[in-house]
Amino acid sequence: MIRILCTYSLLSSTIIFPLGRTTLLPSKGYSFLHLGDRVRAKTPFSARTVSALMRARSGMEQVLVENEVQQVRLLDSVNDEHGGVIVELSEYMDSKVFASMLKASLALWRSQGKRGVWIKVPIELVSLVEAAVKEGFWFHHAEPKYLMLAFWIPEGAHTLPANASHRVGVGAFVMNKKREVLVVQEKSGILRGKGVWKFPTGVVDEGEDICAAAIREVKEETAIDTEFLEVLAFRQSHKIFFEKSDLFFVCMLRPLSLNIEKQESEIEDARWMPWDEYVAQPFVQKHELMKHLVDICKAKEDEAYFGFSPVPITSKISNQKSHLYVNDRDLKGRSSDCLSQPSEFD
């Protein structure tokens, strides 16, 4: 008996040889062999076929299997950190060619014990999505320029992480030395045309720190330069934006300028408003969240409340910089050394 060094998949009807990027599809009716299987007399591979298979190990790009062999390329991939692979498509190909490459690649990954498979499809190659879905891939998430597909090879429920579950927003409490608070009226949204004055608010961009987002939103909506001081509080709510959860951080900033220039595209009006006038608004008095925020902001101005200030840290593992938000008033003099040293788990 002769040992054949190849792998197989009944699902994809594919023999795969460890030759780099060459995959062989046998003609219809032939058997498929496990890695290391022994060929017996009843196997429909002839002696000439076995000899050809063995020669493939030495680097031949094509192997004759009973005079009918088709060569199929594999998809380029890289291993991820969790036993899976990541494919980033970049070149145009016919959907039938892609389907064959995908089947052959899945057979190889299955034989290698891979787990999750991720395929990043740029928007210009969206025609290939249908072929992947037919193989069992599902939509994981979409961005403006690509769609991410996912697949789970092992039996049983998958353990792939879900898509991002939260959107992050900021609200900016900015008060000048006259105890006037910076407020705006919006041109769009549920408060449009209702005469409600509110804090500048916005959504944190991808890769943007909370403290930077608060400064940016104030600048964009009012042209006021500010210095970030603290996160005063945050609220979590659910099923807000396309069924996603929402984290909203109320931040305190110090004004570095006073002349307001409202953002024409989004802001109807902007002004410095006396604190008592802001608080007296019916919207503030009747809205439970706003009443809590008013109490917090007043307590902060009276130095009876302390929020969380950003402390720059750098991860030992990724060398990426981020911020840890802490009540530094209670930590000063006790754990400053700890805060200046990143944790081994960062």
mmCIF file of all heavy atoms in Angstrom, residues 265-308:
data_model
loop_
_atom_site.group_PDB
_atom_site.id
_atom_site.type_symbol
_atom_site.label_atom_id
_atom_site.label_comp_id
_atom_site.label_asym_id
_atom_site.label_seq_id
_atom_site.Cartn_x
_atom_site.Cartn_y
_atom_site.Cartn_z
ATOM 1 N N SER A 265 -24.662 74.882 8.850
ATOM 2 C CA SER A 265 -25.315 73.682 8.323
ATOM 3 C C SER A 265 -26.175 72.961 9.358
ATOM 4 O O SER A 265 -27.166 72.320 8.993
ATOM 5 C CB SER A 265 -24.261 72.708 7.783
ATOM 6 O OG SER A 265 -23.363 72.326 8.821
ATOM 7 N N GLU A 266 -25.832 73.055 10.650
ATOM 8 C CA GLU A 266 -26.532 72.268 11.657
ATOM 9 C C GLU A 266 -27.155 73.087 12.785
ATOM 10 O O GLU A 266 -28.072 72.608 13.449
ATOM 11 C CB GLU A 266 -25.577 71.235 12.272
ATOM 12 C CG GLU A 266 -25.051 70.203 11.286
ATOM 13 C CD GLU A 266 -24.185 69.161 11.952
ATOM 14 O OE1 GLU A 266 -24.166 69.122 13.205
ATOM 15 O OE2 GLU A 266 -23.521 68.387 11.242
ATOM 16 N N ILE A 267 -26.671 74.295 13.021
ATOM 17 C CA ILE A 267 -27.086 75.060 14.198
ATOM 18 C C ILE A 267 -27.937 76.265 13.790
ATOM 19 O O ILE A 267 -27.529 77.093 12.967
ATOM 20 C CB ILE A 267 -25.847 75.535 14.999
ATOM 21 C CG1 ILE A 267 -25.003 74.325 15.429
ATOM 22 C CG2 ILE A 267 -26.272 76.341 16.206
ATOM 23 C CD1 ILE A 267 -25.760 73.308 16.274
ATOM 24 N N GLU A 268 -29.126 76.342 14.378
ATOM 25 C CA GLU A 268 -30.034 77.462 14.130
ATOM 26 C C GLU A 268 -29.572 78.711 14.856
ATOM 27 O O GLU A 268 -29.634 79.822 14.318
ATOM 28 C CB GLU A 268 -31.451 77.093 14.579
ATOM 29 C CG GLU A 268 -32.496 78.143 14.248
ATOM 30 C CD GLU A 268 -32.722 78.260 12.760
ATOM 31 O OE1 GLU A 268 -32.670 77.233 12.056
ATOM 32 O OE2 GLU A 268 -32.963 79.395 12.296
ATOM 33 N N ASP A 269 -29.105 78.550 16.091
ATOM 34 C CA ASP A 269 -28.638 79.695 16.868
ATOM 35 C C ASP A 269 -27.736 79.186 17.986
ATOM 36 O O ASP A 269 -27.795 78.015 18.379
ATOM 37 C CB ASP A 269 -29.819 80.462 17.465
ATOM 38 C CG ASP A 269 -29.458 81.902 17.823
ATOM 39 O OD1 ASP A 269 -28.282 82.284 17.635
ATOM 40 O OD2 ASP A 269 -30.341 82.625 18.310
ATOM 41 N N ALA A 270 -26.882 80.070 18.499
ATOM 42 C CA ALA A 270 -25.976 79.734 19.603
ATOM 43 C C ALA A 270 -25.738 80.993 20.426
ATOM 44 O O ALA A 270 -25.678 82.099 19.882
ATOM 45 C CB ALA A 270 -24.652 79.178 19.073
ATOM 46 N N ARG A 271 -25.579 80.809 21.739
ATOM 47 C CA ARG A 271 -25.396 81.986 22.598
ATOM 48 C C ARG A 271 -24.845 81.562 23.956
ATOM 49 O O ARG A 271 -24.813 80.379 24.300
ATOM 50 C CB ARG A 271 -26.717 82.710 22.803
ATOM 51 C CG ARG A 271 -27.801 81.843 23.432
ATOM 52 C CD ARG A 271 -29.070 82.600 23.747
ATOM 53 N NE ARG A 271 -28.878 83.530 24.866
ATOM 54 C CZ ARG A 271 -29.884 83.989 25.613
ATOM 55 N NH1 ARG A 271 -31.147 83.645 25.338
ATOM 56 N NH2 ARG A 271 -29.660 84.807 26.605
ATOM 57 N N TRP A 272 -24.380 82.578 24.702
ATOM 58 C CA TRP A 272 -24.069 82.395 26.117
ATOM 59 C C TRP A 272 -25.342 82.749 26.905
ATOM 60 O O TRP A 272 -25.857 83.854 26.800
ATOM 61 C CB TRP A 272 -22.924 83.302 26.553
ATOM 62 C CG TRP A 272 -21.586 82.935 25.971
ATOM 63 C CD1 TRP A 272 -20.925 83.564 24.951
ATOM 64 C CD2 TRP A 272 -20.756 81.858 26.394
ATOM 65 N NE1 TRP A 272 -19.736 82.954 24.695
ATOM 66 C CE2 TRP A 272 -19.586 81.894 25.572
ATOM 67 C CE3 TRP A 272 -20.860 80.866 27.363
ATOM 68 C CZ2 TRP A 272 -18.554 80.975 25.707
ATOM 69 C CZ3 TRP A 272 -19.834 79.950 27.498
ATOM 70 C CH2 TRP A 272 -18.694 80.009 26.688
ATOM 71 N N MET A 273 -25.836 81.814 27.686
ATOM 72 C CA MET A 273 -27.097 82.006 28.406
ATOM 73 C C MET A 273 -26.856 81.952 29.909
ATOM 74 O O MET A 273 -26.145 81.064 30.395
ATOM 75 C CB MET A 273 -28.101 80.909 28.013
ATOM 76 C CG MET A 273 -29.415 80.938 28.773
ATOM 77 S SD MET A 273 -30.554 79.637 28.221
ATOM 78 C CE MET A 273 -31.105 80.360 26.668
ATOM 79 N N PRO A 274 -27.426 82.902 30.679
ATOM 80 C CA PRO A 274 -27.302 82.820 32.138
ATOM 81 C C PRO A 274 -27.784 81.454 32.641
ATOM 82 O O PRO A 274 -28.795 80.925 32.166
ATOM 83 C CB PRO A 274 -28.207 83.945 32.631
ATOM 84 C CG PRO A 274 -28.216 84.940 31.508
ATOM 85 C CD PRO A 274 -28.166 84.120 30.253
ATOM 86 N N TRP A 275 -27.063 80.917 33.608
ATOM 87 C CA TRP A 275 -27.349 79.568 34.102
ATOM 88 C C TRP A 275 -28.793 79.425 34.566
ATOM 89 O O TRP A 275 -29.470 78.441 34.236
ATOM 90 C CB TRP A 275 -26.373 79.222 35.216
ATOM 91 C CG TRP A 275 -26.655 77.910 35.894
ATOM 92 C CD1 TRP A 275 -27.134 77.718 37.147
ATOM 93 C CD2 TRP A 275 -26.473 76.604 35.335
ATOM 94 N NE1 TRP A 275 -27.268 76.379 37.422
ATOM 95 C CE2 TRP A 275 -26.866 75.674 36.312
ATOM 96 C CE3 TRP A 275 -26.037 76.137 34.099
ATOM 97 C CZ2 TRP A 275 -26.821 74.304 36.108
ATOM 98 C CZ3 TRP A 275 -25.989 74.753 33.889
ATOM 99 C CH2 TRP A 275 -26.383 73.872 34.887
ATOM 100 N N ASP A 276 -29.281 80.394 35.334
ATOM 101 C CA ASP A 276 -30.641 80.305 35.859
ATOM 102 C C ASP A 276 -31.681 80.288 34.734
ATOM 103 O O ASP A 276 -32.709 79.608 34.836
ATOM 104 C CB ASP A 276 -30.920 81.459 36.820
ATOM 105 C CG ASP A 276 -30.118 81.356 38.109
ATOM 106 O OD1 ASP A 276 -29.662 80.226 38.418
ATOM 107 O OD2 ASP A 276 -29.937 82.382 38.795
ATOM 108 N N GLU A 277 -31.417 81.014 33.662
ATOM 109 C CA GLU A 277 -32.335 81.030 32.526
ATOM 110 C C GLU A 277 -32.350 79.678 31.820
ATOM 111 O O GLU A 277 -33.410 79.193 31.399
ATOM 112 C CB GLU A 277 -31.924 82.139 31.548
ATOM 113 C CG GLU A 277 -32.863 82.288 30.361
ATOM 114 C CD GLU A 277 -32.419 83.395 29.424
ATOM 115 O OE1 GLU A 277 -31.573 84.226 29.836
ATOM 116 O OE2 GLU A 277 -32.901 83.419 28.259
ATOM 117 N N TYR A 278 -31.182 79.083 31.699
ATOM 118 C CA TYR A 278 -31.105 77.753 31.092
ATOM 119 C C TYR A 278 -31.895 76.739 31.910
ATOM 120 O O TYR A 278 -32.690 75.959 31.368
ATOM 121 C CB TYR A 278 -29.641 77.311 30.966
ATOM 122 C CG TYR A 278 -29.488 75.858 30.603
ATOM 123 C CD1 TYR A 278 -29.666 75.429 29.292
ATOM 124 C CD2 TYR A 278 -29.182 74.909 31.578
ATOM 125 C CE1 TYR A 278 -29.549 74.085 28.956
ATOM 126 C CE2 TYR A 278 -29.049 73.570 31.256
ATOM 127 C CZ TYR A 278 -29.240 73.162 29.945
ATOM 128 O OH TYR A 278 -29.131 71.832 29.622
ATOM 129 N N VAL A 279 -31.692 76.752 33.228
ATOM 130 C CA VAL A 279 -32.355 75.792 34.113
ATOM 131 C C VAL A 279 -33.869 75.971 34.096
ATOM 132 O O VAL A 279 -34.628 75.004 34.218
ATOM 133 C CB VAL A 279 -31.807 75.928 35.551
ATOM 134 C CG1 VAL A 279 -32.593 75.048 36.516
ATOM 135 C CG2 VAL A 279 -30.324 75.582 35.579
ATOM 136 N N ALA A 280 -34.354 77.201 33.915
ATOM 137 C CA ALA A 280 -35.790 77.491 33.980
ATOM 138 C C ALA A 280 -36.565 77.006 32.756
ATOM 139 O O ALA A 280 -37.800 77.022 32.771
ATOM 140 C CB ALA A 280 -35.996 78.992 34.169
ATOM 141 N N GLN A 281 -35.896 76.554 31.718
ATOM 142 C CA GLN A 281 -36.594 76.084 30.536
ATOM 143 C C GLN A 281 -37.529 74.916 30.880
ATOM 144 O O GLN A 281 -37.135 73.989 31.596
ATOM 145 C CB GLN A 281 -35.601 75.610 29.470
ATOM 146 C CG GLN A 281 -34.747 76.692 28.847
ATOM 147 C CD GLN A 281 -33.872 76.116 27.745
ATOM 148 O OE1 GLN A 281 -34.198 76.208 26.563
ATOM 149 N NE2 GLN A 281 -32.764 75.509 28.146
ATOM 150 N N PRO A 282 -38.766 74.914 30.380
ATOM 151 C CA PRO A 282 -39.681 73.791 30.638
ATOM 152 C C PRO A 282 -39.097 72.443 30.225
ATOM 153 O O PRO A 282 -39.303 71.427 30.908
ATOM 154 C CB PRO A 282 -40.908 74.157 29.795
ATOM 155 C CG PRO A 282 -40.872 75.643 29.698
ATOM 156 C CD PRO A 282 -39.414 76.004 29.628
ATOM 157 N N PHE A 283 -38.341 72.430 29.108
ATOM 158 C CA PHE A 283 -37.730 71.176 28.656
ATOM 159 C C PHE A 283 -36.792 70.613 29.712
ATOM 160 O O PHE A 283 -36.761 69.404 29.963
ATOM 161 C CB PHE A 283 -36.965 71.417 27.348
ATOM 162 C CG PHE A 283 -36.150 70.237 26.885
ATOM 163 C CD1 PHE A 283 -36.755 69.149 26.286
ATOM 164 C CD2 PHE A 283 -34.769 70.223 27.068
ATOM 165 C CE1 PHE A 283 -36.004 68.060 25.877
ATOM 166 C CE2 PHE A 283 -34.015 69.146 26.652
ATOM 167 C CZ PHE A 283 -34.631 68.055 26.062
ATOM 168 N N VAL A 284 -36.015 71.487 30.338
ATOM 169 C CA VAL A 284 -35.070 71.040 31.366
ATOM 170 C C VAL A 284 -35.814 70.594 32.622
ATOM 171 O O VAL A 284 -35.490 69.577 33.225
ATOM 172 C CB VAL A 284 -34.067 72.167 31.695
ATOM 173 C CG1 VAL A 284 -33.168 71.771 32.872
ATOM 174 C CG2 VAL A 284 -33.223 72.508 30.467
ATOM 175 N N GLN A 285 -36.827 71.334 33.004
ATOM 176 C CA GLN A 285 -37.558 71.030 34.225
ATOM 177 C C GLN A 285 -38.368 69.730 34.115
ATOM 178 O O GLN A 285 -38.552 69.021 35.114
ATOM 179 C CB GLN A 285 -38.496 72.188 34.574
ATOM 180 C CG GLN A 285 -37.779 73.457 35.007
ATOM 181 C CD GLN A 285 -36.973 73.253 36.288
ATOM 182 O OE1 GLN A 285 -37.452 72.633 37.240
ATOM 183 N NE2 GLN A 285 -35.754 73.774 36.299
ATOM 184 N N LYS A 286 -38.829 69.401 32.921
ATOM 185 C CA LYS A 286 -39.686 68.230 32.760
ATOM 186 C C LYS A 286 -38.930 66.978 32.327
ATOM 187 O O LYS A 286 -39.464 65.876 32.384
ATOM 188 C CB LYS A 286 -40.783 68.532 31.731
ATOM 189 C CG LYS A 286 -41.750 69.625 32.169
ATOM 190 C CD LYS A 286 -42.785 69.889 31.083
ATOM 191 C CE LYS A 286 -43.747 70.984 31.501
ATOM 192 N NZ LYS A 286 -44.775 71.261 30.445
ATOM 193 N N HIS A 287 -37.701 67.143 31.899
ATOM 194 C CA HIS A 287 -36.923 66.023 31.389
ATOM 195 C C HIS A 287 -36.067 65.454 32.521
ATOM 196 O O HIS A 287 -35.208 66.144 33.068
ATOM 197 C CB HIS A 287 -36.038 66.495 30.228
ATOM 198 C CG HIS A 287 -35.511 65.393 29.368
ATOM 199 N ND1 HIS A 287 -34.592 64.488 29.811
ATOM 200 C CD2 HIS A 287 -35.789 65.063 28.075
ATOM 201 C CE1 HIS A 287 -34.303 63.645 28.841
ATOM 202 N NE2 HIS A 287 -35.020 63.959 27.775
ATOM 203 N N GLU A 288 -36.282 64.177 32.864
ATOM 204 C CA GLU A 288 -35.605 63.578 34.020
ATOM 205 C C GLU A 288 -34.094 63.604 33.873
ATOM 206 O O GLU A 288 -33.372 63.945 34.823
ATOM 207 C CB GLU A 288 -36.080 62.144 34.217
ATOM 208 C CG GLU A 288 -35.517 61.475 35.466
ATOM 209 C CD GLU A 288 -36.055 60.081 35.666
ATOM 210 O OE1 GLU A 288 -36.740 59.555 34.758
ATOM 211 O OE2 GLU A 288 -35.792 59.506 36.735
ATOM 212 N N LEU A 289 -33.588 63.247 32.716
ATOM 213 C CA LEU A 289 -32.145 63.240 32.508
ATOM 214 C C LEU A 289 -31.574 64.639 32.665
ATOM 215 O O LEU A 289 -30.539 64.830 33.322
ATOM 216 C CB LEU A 289 -31.817 62.694 31.117
ATOM 217 C CG LEU A 289 -30.337 62.781 30.691
ATOM 218 C CD1 LEU A 289 -29.458 61.954 31.624
ATOM 219 C CD2 LEU A 289 -30.172 62.347 29.238
ATOM 220 N N MET A 290 -32.235 65.654 32.085
ATOM 221 C CA MET A 290 -31.735 67.016 32.154
ATOM 222 C C MET A 290 -31.715 67.527 33.595
ATOM 223 O O MET A 290 -30.802 68.252 34.000
ATOM 224 C CB MET A 290 -32.577 67.937 31.280
ATOM 225 C CG MET A 290 -32.573 67.570 29.802
ATOM 226 S SD MET A 290 -30.901 67.410 29.129
ATOM 227 C CE MET A 290 -30.260 69.046 29.431
ATOM 228 N N LYS A 291 -32.701 67.154 34.382
ATOM 229 C CA LYS A 291 -32.729 67.580 35.787
ATOM 230 C C LYS A 291 -31.540 67.002 36.544
ATOM 231 O O LYS A 291 -30.917 67.679 37.364
ATOM 232 C CB LYS A 291 -34.041 67.148 36.439
ATOM 233 C CG LYS A 291 -35.258 67.915 35.926
ATOM 234 C CD LYS A 291 -36.548 67.397 36.529
ATOM 235 C CE LYS A 291 -36.608 67.675 38.031
ATOM 236 N NZ LYS A 291 -37.906 67.255 38.605
ATOM 237 N N HIS A 292 -31.193 65.744 36.260
ATOM 238 C CA HIS A 292 -30.012 65.143 36.900
ATOM 239 C C HIS A 292 -28.742 65.885 36.474
ATOM 240 O O HIS A 292 -27.861 66.159 37.306
ATOM 241 C CB HIS A 292 -29.899 63.664 36.532
ATOM 242 C CG HIS A 292 -30.820 62.767 37.299
ATOM 243 N ND1 HIS A 292 -30.741 62.614 38.671
ATOM 244 C CD2 HIS A 292 -31.832 61.978 36.886
ATOM 245 C CE1 HIS A 292 -31.666 61.755 39.064
ATOM 246 N NE2 HIS A 292 -32.351 61.356 38.004
ATOM 247 N N LEU A 293 -28.647 66.193 35.196
ATOM 248 C CA LEU A 293 -27.449 66.880 34.701
ATOM 249 C C LEU A 293 -27.325 68.286 35.285
ATOM 250 O O LEU A 293 -26.213 68.738 35.586
ATOM 251 C CB LEU A 293 -27.482 66.936 33.177
ATOM 252 C CG LEU A 293 -27.404 65.591 32.444
ATOM 253 C CD1 LEU A 293 -27.386 65.795 30.936
ATOM 254 C CD2 LEU A 293 -26.183 64.803 32.884
ATOM 255 N N VAL A 294 -28.446 68.964 35.445
ATOM 256 C CA VAL A 294 -28.412 70.287 36.060
ATOM 257 C C VAL A 294 -27.882 70.191 37.491
ATOM 258 O O VAL A 294 -27.039 71.000 37.919
ATOM 259 C CB VAL A 294 -29.821 70.918 36.051
ATOM 260 C CG1 VAL A 294 -29.894 72.096 37.025
ATOM 261 C CG2 VAL A 294 -30.168 71.385 34.644
ATOM 262 N N ASP A 295 -28.346 69.195 38.241
ATOM 263 C CA ASP A 295 -27.866 69.010 39.615
ATOM 264 C C ASP A 295 -26.368 68.729 39.645
ATOM 265 O O ASP A 295 -25.636 69.256 40.496
ATOM 266 C CB ASP A 295 -28.626 67.864 40.289
ATOM 267 C CG ASP A 295 -30.081 68.208 40.551
ATOM 268 O OD1 ASP A 295 -30.408 69.412 40.564
ATOM 269 O OD2 ASP A 295 -30.881 67.270 40.742
ATOM 270 N N ILE A 296 -25.910 67.905 38.700
ATOM 271 C CA ILE A 296 -24.486 67.561 38.651
ATOM 272 C C ILE A 296 -23.652 68.786 38.299
ATOM 273 O O ILE A 296 -22.622 69.070 38.933
ATOM 274 C CB ILE A 296 -24.248 66.431 37.633
ATOM 275 C CG1 ILE A 296 -24.871 65.121 38.146
ATOM 276 C CG2 ILE A 296 -22.748 66.238 37.373
ATOM 277 C CD1 ILE A 296 -24.852 64.016 37.109
ATOM 278 N N CYS A 297 -24.070 69.527 37.280
ATOM 279 C CA CYS A 297 -23.310 70.705 36.849
ATOM 280 C C CYS A 297 -23.267 71.781 37.930
ATOM 281 O O CYS A 297 -22.231 72.421 38.147
ATOM 282 C CB CYS A 297 -23.917 71.279 35.568
ATOM 283 S SG CYS A 297 -23.756 70.192 34.122
ATOM 284 N N LYS A 298 -24.393 71.972 38.615
ATOM 285 C CA LYS A 298 -24.414 72.956 39.700
ATOM 286 C C LYS A 298 -23.495 72.525 40.833
ATOM 287 O O LYS A 298 -22.745 73.332 41.391
ATOM 288 C CB LYS A 298 -25.837 73.135 40.224
ATOM 289 C CG LYS A 298 -25.967 74.243 41.271
ATOM 290 C CD LYS A 298 -27.400 74.438 41.698
ATOM 291 C CE LYS A 298 -27.519 75.634 42.653
ATOM 292 N NZ LYS A 298 -26.647 75.498 43.844
ATOM 293 N N ALA A 299 -23.535 71.235 41.181
ATOM 294 C CA ALA A 299 -22.665 70.732 42.237
ATOM 295 C C ALA A 299 -21.197 70.876 41.848
ATOM 296 O O ALA A 299 -20.349 71.173 42.691
ATOM 297 C CB ALA A 299 -22.993 69.272 42.537
ATOM 298 N N LYS A 300 -20.914 70.688 40.567
ATOM 299 C CA LYS A 300 -19.543 70.834 40.094
ATOM 300 C C LYS A 300 -19.085 72.284 40.226
ATOM 301 O O LYS A 300 -17.965 72.559 40.694
ATOM 302 C CB LYS A 300 -19.441 70.373 38.637
ATOM 303 C CG LYS A 300 -18.050 70.556 38.034
ATOM 304 C CD LYS A 300 -17.018 69.743 38.806
ATOM 305 C CE LYS A 300 -15.617 70.043 38.304
ATOM 306 N NZ LYS A 300 -14.592 69.330 39.081
ATOM 307 N N GLU A 301 -19.937 73.222 39.831
ATOM 308 C CA GLU A 301 -19.586 74.622 39.946
ATOM 309 C C GLU A 301 -19.406 75.047 41.397
ATOM 310 O O GLU A 301 -18.612 75.937 41.716
ATOM 311 C CB GLU A 301 -20.656 75.488 39.273
ATOM 312 C CG GLU A 301 -20.583 75.497 37.765
ATOM 313 C CD GLU A 301 -19.249 76.046 37.274
ATOM 314 O OE1 GLU A 301 -18.895 77.185 37.643
ATOM 315 O OE2 GLU A 301 -18.551 75.326 36.538
ATOM 316 N N ASP A 302 -20.127 74.403 42.300
ATOM 317 C CA ASP A 302 -20.005 74.695 43.730
ATOM 318 C C ASP A 302 -18.874 73.900 44.383
ATOM 319 O O ASP A 302 -18.736 73.910 45.608
ATOM 320 C CB ASP A 302 -21.328 74.380 44.445
ATOM 321 C CG ASP A 302 -22.448 75.292 43.986
ATOM 322 O OD1 ASP A 302 -22.145 76.377 43.456
ATOM 323 O OD2 ASP A 302 -23.631 74.910 44.134
ATOM 324 N N GLU A 303 -18.103 73.171 43.566
ATOM 325 C CA GLU A 303 -16.974 72.349 44.023
ATOM 326 C C GLU A 303 -17.416 71.300 45.042
ATOM 327 O O GLU A 303 -16.685 70.952 45.961
ATOM 328 C CB GLU A 303 -15.870 73.235 44.616
ATOM 329 C CG GLU A 303 -15.283 74.209 43.604
ATOM 330 C CD GLU A 303 -14.091 74.980 44.168
ATOM 331 O OE1 GLU A 303 -13.817 74.836 45.375
ATOM 332 O OE2 GLU A 303 -13.453 75.716 43.408
ATOM 333 N N ALA A 304 -18.611 70.770 44.808
ATOM 334 C CA ALA A 304 -19.115 69.697 45.664
ATOM 335 C C ALA A 304 -19.207 68.371 44.918
ATOM 336 O O ALA A 304 -19.696 67.383 45.462
ATOM 337 C CB ALA A 304 -20.497 70.074 46.207
ATOM 338 N N TYR A 305 -18.740 68.370 43.701
ATOM 339 C CA TYR A 305 -18.809 67.157 42.874
ATOM 340 C C TYR A 305 -17.543 67.081 42.027
ATOM 341 O O TYR A 305 -17.055 68.099 41.531
ATOM 342 C CB TYR A 305 -20.038 67.208 41.974
ATOM 343 C CG TYR A 305 -20.205 66.003 41.065
ATOM 344 C CD1 TYR A 305 -20.925 64.890 41.472
ATOM 345 C CD2 TYR A 305 -19.639 65.990 39.781
ATOM 346 C CE1 TYR A 305 -21.087 63.795 40.635
ATOM 347 C CE2 TYR A 305 -19.790 64.899 38.945
ATOM 348 C CZ TYR A 305 -20.519 63.800 39.374
ATOM 349 O OH TYR A 305 -20.668 62.723 38.554
ATOM 350 N N PHE A 306 -17.019 65.868 41.891
ATOM 351 C CA PHE A 306 -15.782 65.699 41.122
ATOM 352 C C PHE A 306 -15.976 64.571 40.110
ATOM 353 O O PHE A 306 -16.393 63.468 40.465
ATOM 354 C CB PHE A 306 -14.595 65.399 42.056
ATOM 355 C CG PHE A 306 -14.282 66.540 42.975
ATOM 356 C CD1 PHE A 306 -14.890 66.612 44.225
ATOM 357 C CD2 PHE A 306 -13.426 67.555 42.584
ATOM 358 C CE1 PHE A 306 -14.623 67.674 45.080
ATOM 359 C CE2 PHE A 306 -13.163 68.624 43.428
ATOM 360 C CZ PHE A 306 -13.758 68.683 44.681
ATOM 361 N N GLY A 307 -15.692 64.884 38.864
ATOM 362 C CA GLY A 307 -15.847 63.906 37.795
ATOM 363 C C GLY A 307 -14.558 63.167 37.501
ATOM 364 O O GLY A 307 -13.687 63.000 38.381
ATOM 365 N N PHE A 308 -14.397 62.770 36.260
ATOM 366 C CA PHE A 308 -13.263 61.941 35.863
ATOM 367 C C PHE A 308 -12.420 62.665 34.823
ATOM 368 O O PHE A 308 -12.914 63.020 33.744
ATOM 369 C CB PHE A 308 -13.758 60.611 35.297
ATOM 370 C CG PHE A 308 -14.495 59.782 36.304
ATOM 371 C CD1 PHE A 308 -15.863 59.917 36.473
ATOM 372 C CD2 PHE A 308 -13.817 58.882 37.110
ATOM 373 C CE1 PHE A 308 -16.556 59.165 37.411
ATOM 374 C CE2 PHE A 308 -14.480 58.122 38.050
ATOM 375 C CZ PHE A 308 -15.857 58.262 38.208
#
